[in-house]
């Protein structure tokens, strides 16, 4: 090994550790490694920037816009809600809901699908006394499986295509994955319906737990005339920096004041609603003029009368809130919402709310203003997974919704018939959506997930460093030396396993970028089809079932389903083994 190869290997190991231990946002970690390769001369500026102009990466950006336009008009989720209501049995409901969801995921980004359908499924389950945990992990897994069926099913597939185009391989088209992907999806669905459903827990959702035990989360103090700070601010009264408690709302007659600001004036007769460590409310009982209300039982729904509403939100992988306490992040000021409670790994974090340091996957129960969902539906800080009842959802334009879906269908047809490449079709679709004013330039910018694009573009540069230094060839030769005595089938299992481990530990796109150079070198050495390795790696990089952090959709349902980490392991390990063997057998049979 040359010094350059050792240096690149060490940096990639450090990058993997940085991603695994969440020392920073994934896009920042990978971009930092790319900058180091550029500064040290491992990569030329052209090589380092190659990912930012890659056709696959730009296609992903355009797909974000197209998927956002379809989601904007809500026809799909409205249709699925009506379709689900007609179900009678639990198994019938799963079949009616998840088979169409898998087909949709083959052509639409699965993250917005899961964000949209999570509250629909939660409400449907709660209305029928079914634990949402029986349906939400399957929702995530079904969208992952559906995404393996076509090129546009996931961003990972488009990353693989972009890497292949860089290497002069142009035969990875819209339906290259379909023969293997359809079989994988069918086998995966059968496993979920017949076996997986029995392995899933019967957990109550986060909001449901709070509703059933609101005394553990909420306490009420009444302000009497004798309170010395009547007609003074919250800050002056010393109610902002309480030990263990957080003032979430003030009830004043029929009026609700939330979020409560430092400058809010206290009046006699106000009902002060606190959350946090309710056991510490005893400290306030000694304050003259504050009376603990013990005879009444405050329900969660009592808080959301008027203009306030309860919102459940999951902290995302790329959130600016990561590793910050709620107080330091100035959550109340920045988002105009108060945090009632935080759940992690299906357990409430028993601490003063403001002192909780947030992590990816944390579920926040918020008391927010009526426009919160409209403002933060597309936020990169968290996924909003509450039911959406805001007026703009009720006034959807049917014609515009059908037109946006029609544009996508026509583009898919043009790609299928070979008239346009995927990149050209999505560029034309975006132009038509803007030209017909189905979306505005502001909408388009909002739909693009720039952090995901930075991660993917930077990963291309890291992959180039592996190829140009010869590290990819060295690693490929090592894997071949181990696996060749046992045959090509075992080599395919090794490649799939390595890809799948990477995708569970880091991110799916980064896993694909690291493995494709190795896979292409192996195909070249073995004199076999590179497409077989590309399909294997694309599916292996997407098939993340074992942890909630390996894939965005797993993280979205983590809190709303009330899951623990071990719940993913329990169903994910056998499903991963089934999908691995199905993929390897199909790839071996079709390509080798």
């Amino acid at each position: 090994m040359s010094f350059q190869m050792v240096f690149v290997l060490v940096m990639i190991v450090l990058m993997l550790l940085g991603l695994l231990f969440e020392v920073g946002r994934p896009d920042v970690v990978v971009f930092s490694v790319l900058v180091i390769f550029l500064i040290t001369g491992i990569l030329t500026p052209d090589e380092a920037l190659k990912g930012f102009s890659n056709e696959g990466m730009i296609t992903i950006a355009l797909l974000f816009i197209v998927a956002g336009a379809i989601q904007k008009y809500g026809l799909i989720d409205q249709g699925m809600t009506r379709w689900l209501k007609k179900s009678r049995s639990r198994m019938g409901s799963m079949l009616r809901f998840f088979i169409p969801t898998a087909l949709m995921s083959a052509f639409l980004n699965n993250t917005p699908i899961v964000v949209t359908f999570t509250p629909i499924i939660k409400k449907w389950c709660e209305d029928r006394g079914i634990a949402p945990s029986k349906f939400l992990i399957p929702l995530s897994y079904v969208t992952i499986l559906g995404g393996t069926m076509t090129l546009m099913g996931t961003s990972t597939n488009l990353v693989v295509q972009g890497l292949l185009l860089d290497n002069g391989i142009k035969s990875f088209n819209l339906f290259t994955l379909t023969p293997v992907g359809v079989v994988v999806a069918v086998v995966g669905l059968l496993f979920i319906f017949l076996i997986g459903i029995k392995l899933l827990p019967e957990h109550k959702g986060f909001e449901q737990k709070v509703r059933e035990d609101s005394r553990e989360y909420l306490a009420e103090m009444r302000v009497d005339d004798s309170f010395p700070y009547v007609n003074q601010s919250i800050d002056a009264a010393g109610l902002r920096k309480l030990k263990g408690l957080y003032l979430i709302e003030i009830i004043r007659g029929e009026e609700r004041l939330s979020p409560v600001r430092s400058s809010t004036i206290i009046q006699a007769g106000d009902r002060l609603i606190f959350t946090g460590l309710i056991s510490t409310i005893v400290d306030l009982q000694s304050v003259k003029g504050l009376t603990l209300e013990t005879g009444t039982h405050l329900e969660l729904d009592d808080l959301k009368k008027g203009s306030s509403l309860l919102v459940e939100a999951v902290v995302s992988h790329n959130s600016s809130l990561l590793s910050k306490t709620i107080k330091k992040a100035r959550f109340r000021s920045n988002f105009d919402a108060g945090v009632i409670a935080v759940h992690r790994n299906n357990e409430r974090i028993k601490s003063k709310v403001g002192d909780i340091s947030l992590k990816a996957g944390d579920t926040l129960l918020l008391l927010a203003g009526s426009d919160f969902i409209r403002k933060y539906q597309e936020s990169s800080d968290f996924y909003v997974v509450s039911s959406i009842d805001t007026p703009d959802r009720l006034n959807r334009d049917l014609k515009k919704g059908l037109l946006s879906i029609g544009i996508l269908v026509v583009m898919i047809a043009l790609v299928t018939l070979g008239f346009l490449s995927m990149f050209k079709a999505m560029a034309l679709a975006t132009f038509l959506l803007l030209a017909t004013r189905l979306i505005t330039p502001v909408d388009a910018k909002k739909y693009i997930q720039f952090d995901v694009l930075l991660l993917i573009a930077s990963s291309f540069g890291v992959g180039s460093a592996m190829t140009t230094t010869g590290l990819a060839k060295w690693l490929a030769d090592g894997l071949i030396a181990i696996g060749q005595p046992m045959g090509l089938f075992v080599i395919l299992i090794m490649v799939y396993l390595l890809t799948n481990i990477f995708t569970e530990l880091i991110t799916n796109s980064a896993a694909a970028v690291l493995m494709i150079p190795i896979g292409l070198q192996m195909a070249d050495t073995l004199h076999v089809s590179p497409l077989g390795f590309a399909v294997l790696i694309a599916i292996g990089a997407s098939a993340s079932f074992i942890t909630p952090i390996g894939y965005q959709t797993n993280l979205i349902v983590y809190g709303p389903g009330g899951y623990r980490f071990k719940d993913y392991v329990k169903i994910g390990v056998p499903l991963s083994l089934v999908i691995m063997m199905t993929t390897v057998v199909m790839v071996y049979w079709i390509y080798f």
Side-chain angles (χ1 to χ4, degrees):
M1 287 181 76
S2 68
F3 172 76
Q4 283 191 328
M5 289 166 64
V6 173
F7 179 74
V8 171
L9 182 60
V10 169
M11 288 307 303
I12 287 174
V13 170
L14 290 175
M15 181 187 79
L16 295 176
L17 291 172
L19 292 168
L20 179 60
F21 292 106
E22 298 177 353
V23 298
R25 284 174 31 175
D27 53 323
V28 175
V29 172
V30 179
F31 179 71
S32 300
V33 173
L34 176 65
V35 170
I36 291 170
F37 287 157
L38 177 62
I39 292 171
T40 54
I42 298 290
L43 294 174
T44 65
D46 285 346
E47 290 168 337
L49 296 173
K50 183 167 62 174
F52 292 87
S53 60
N54 181 272
E55 187 175 309
M57 196 277 293
I58 298 172
T59 305
I60 292 167
L62 296 170
L63 263 174
F64 282 144
I65 298 172
V66 174
I70 291 170
Q71 187 188 15
K72 177 181 178 180
Y73 293 101
L75 292 188
I76 290 176
D77 48 291
Q78 287 177 22
M80 288 296 280
T81 303
R82 294 193 191 99
W83 180 246
L84 192 59
K85 282 180 180 176
K86 296 177 182 177
S87 306
R88 295 288 178 264
S89 65
R90 182 183 293 192
M91 183 57 71
S93 304
M94 293 187 84
L95 291 170
R96 288 179 74 91
F97 192 85
F98 289 135
I99 291 174
T101 300
L103 293 173
M104 275 188 278
S105 299
F107 299 100
L108 290 172
N109 186 350
N110 48 19
T111 301
I113 289 176
V114 174
V115 170
T116 301
F117 288 165
T118 294
I120 294 172
I121 287 182
K122 264 185 64 187
K123 188 174 186 311
W124 184 88
C125 288
E126 287 166 2
D127 288 347
R128 287 159 180 77
I130 300 171
S133 56
K134 287 288 186 184
F135 274 71
L136 291 179
I137 276 182
L139 171 64
S140 175
Y141 288 178
V142 164
T143 59
I144 292 171
L145 292 167
T148 64
M149 292 195 285
T150 70
L151 174 62
M152 62 191 295
T154 70
S155 58
T156 308
N157 300 343
L158 288 160
V159 168
V160 170
Q161 187 205 31
L163 289 164
L164 294 178
L165 289 172
D166 283 348
N167 285 275
I169 301 168
K170 298 182 179 180
S171 51
F172 198 82
N173 57 42
L174 180 61
F175 294 112
T176 299
L177 287 160
T178 305
V180 179
V182 168
V183 175
V184 165
V186 169
V187 170
L189 286 168
L190 287 173
F191 177 89
I192 291 168
F193 293 151
L194 300 177
I195 300 170
I197 192 73
K198 298 172 185 175
L199 300 175
L200 287 166
E202 296 244 7
H203 290 329
K204 294 169 184 171
F206 178 24
E207 187 176 331
Q208 198 175 352
K209 278 187 174 182
V210 178
R211 285 181 189 283
E212 291 180 3
D213 204 5
S214 58
R215 276 198 179 97
E216 289 292 316
Y217 294 84
L218 302 168
E220 178 183 340
M221 302 287 291
R222 182 174 293 277
V223 178
D224 299 329
D225 291 324
S226 59
F227 185 56
Y229 298 100
V230 169
N231 297 323
Q232 294 189 44
S233 69
I234 291 292
D235 199 35
L239 297 177
R240 170 61 80 213
K241 298 176 181 177
L242 296 169
K243 178 187 173 185
L245 292 172
Y246 181 81
L247 183 56
I248 191 80
E249 184 177 70
I250 297 176
I251 301 177
R252 184 175 293 160
E254 294 299 316
E255 187 181 3
R256 260 74 174 168
L257 305 179
S258 176
V260 181
R261 305 185 187 284
S262 299
S263 56
T264 302
I265 302 298
I266 301 172
Q267 295 181 11
D270 282 351
R271 295 162 62 193
L272 310 180
I273 312 302
F274 293 94
T275 186
L277 289 172
I278 299 304
S279 58
T280 62
I281 197 79
V282 68
D283 297 337
L284 277 180
Q285 287 181 270
S286 60
V287 177
K288 182 183 177 183
L290 289 183
T291 307
L292 179 66
E293 293 289 323
T294 56
T296 59
H297 182 33
L298 189 74
E299 298 288 348
L300 199 60
D301 285 333
D302 292 337
L303 300 185
K304 64 174 187 174
K305 292 173 182 175
S307 61
S308 297
L309 69 155
L310 292 165
V311 177
E312 210 172 326
V314 179
V315 179
S316 75
H317 274 302
N318 305 305
S319 177
S320 63
L321 304 169
L322 294 179
S323 302
K324 293 180 182 176
T325 64
I326 290 170
K327 184 178 179 181
K328 285 185 178 176
R330 302 185 67 199
F331 197 97
R332 192 190 326 234
S333 303
N334 290 332
F335 298 103
D336 198 30
V339 181
I340 295 174
V342 182
H343 262 210
R344 181 180 298 158
N345 199 24
N346 197 32
E347 294 289 339
R348 180 195 178 197
I349 300 177
K350 294 186 177 180
S351 169
K352 181 180 179 182
V353 170
D355 294 337
I356 296 172
S357 184
L358 294 173
K359 293 184 177 181
D362 283 353
T363 306
L364 314 178
L365 185 60
L366 308 174
L367 186 63
S370 57
D371 62 345
F372 180 89
I373 293 175
R374 178 183 58 79
K375 276 185 182 177
Y376 299 109
Q377 184 71 32
E378 309 294 335
S379 171
S380 61
D381 288 319
F382 35 67
Y383 307 108
V384 178
V385 289
S386 290
S387 297
I388 299 165
D389 301 313
T390 43
D392 62 323
R393 276 259 162 173
L394 301 176
N395 298 323
R396 292 291 163 84
D397 190 317
L398 179 63
K399 289 181 181 178
K400 287 184 176 180
L402 290 172
L403 182 56
S404 64
I405 294 172
I407 288 173
L408 176 64
V409 171
V410 170
M411 293 306 112
I412 291 170
L414 291 173
V415 173
T416 305
L417 296 171
F419 292 116
L420 293 175
S421 67
M422 179 63 72
F423 170 68
K424 290 178 180 177
M426 290 305 107
L428 178 57
T430 303
F431 168 76
L432 291 173
L433 289 168
L434 289 166
T436 54
R437 297 187 178 179
L438 292 174
I439 59 171
T440 65
V442 174
D443 288 334
K445 183 181 176 182
K446 185 172 67 174
Y447 297 143
I448 298 173
Q449 297 176 33
F450 289 100
D451 50 333
V452 175
L453 298 181
L454 177 61
L455 172 66
I456 291 169
S458 302
S459 298
F460 275 98
V462 174
S464 293
M466 291 177 63
T467 304
T468 55
T469 59
L471 179 62
K473 188 176 188 312
W474 182 81
L475 292 170
D477 290 343
L479 288 171
I480 290 170
I482 296 168
Q484 200 161 28
M486 292 174 278
L488 180 58
F489 191 83
V490 173
I491 290 174
L492 294 177
I493 290 176
M494 288 167 57
V495 171
Y496 185 98
L497 268 175
L498 194 55
T499 306
N500 205 232
I501 289 168
F502 278 154
T503 204
E504 295 291 357
L505 296 179
I506 49 173
T507 66
N508 46 352
S509 297
V513 170
L514 289 176
M515 288 303 299
I516 282 292
I518 297 171
L520 294 180
Q521 287 290 345
M522 293 177 79
D524 185 56
T525 303
L526 295 168
H527 305 293
V528 295
S529 167
L531 272 186
F533 278 93
V535 169
L536 186 80
I537 291 167
I539 294 176
S542 292
S544 175
F545 305 116
I546 299 174
T547 72
I549 60 172
Y551 208 91
Q552 279 182 326
T553 56
N554 290 346
L555 192 70
I556 293 165
V557 301
Y558 189 24
Y563 296 114
R564 297 176 184 270
F565 195 95
K566 67 181 181 182
D567 295 328
Y568 286 84
V569 176
K570 191 175 180 181
I571 183 175
V573 169
L575 178 58
S576 293
L577 292 173
V578 168
I579 296 302
M580 179 185 73
M581 291 312 300
T582 305
T583 304
V584 171
V585 167
M586 289 300 298
V587 167
Y588 186 83
W589 180 55
I590 292 172
Y591 293 99
F592 306 120

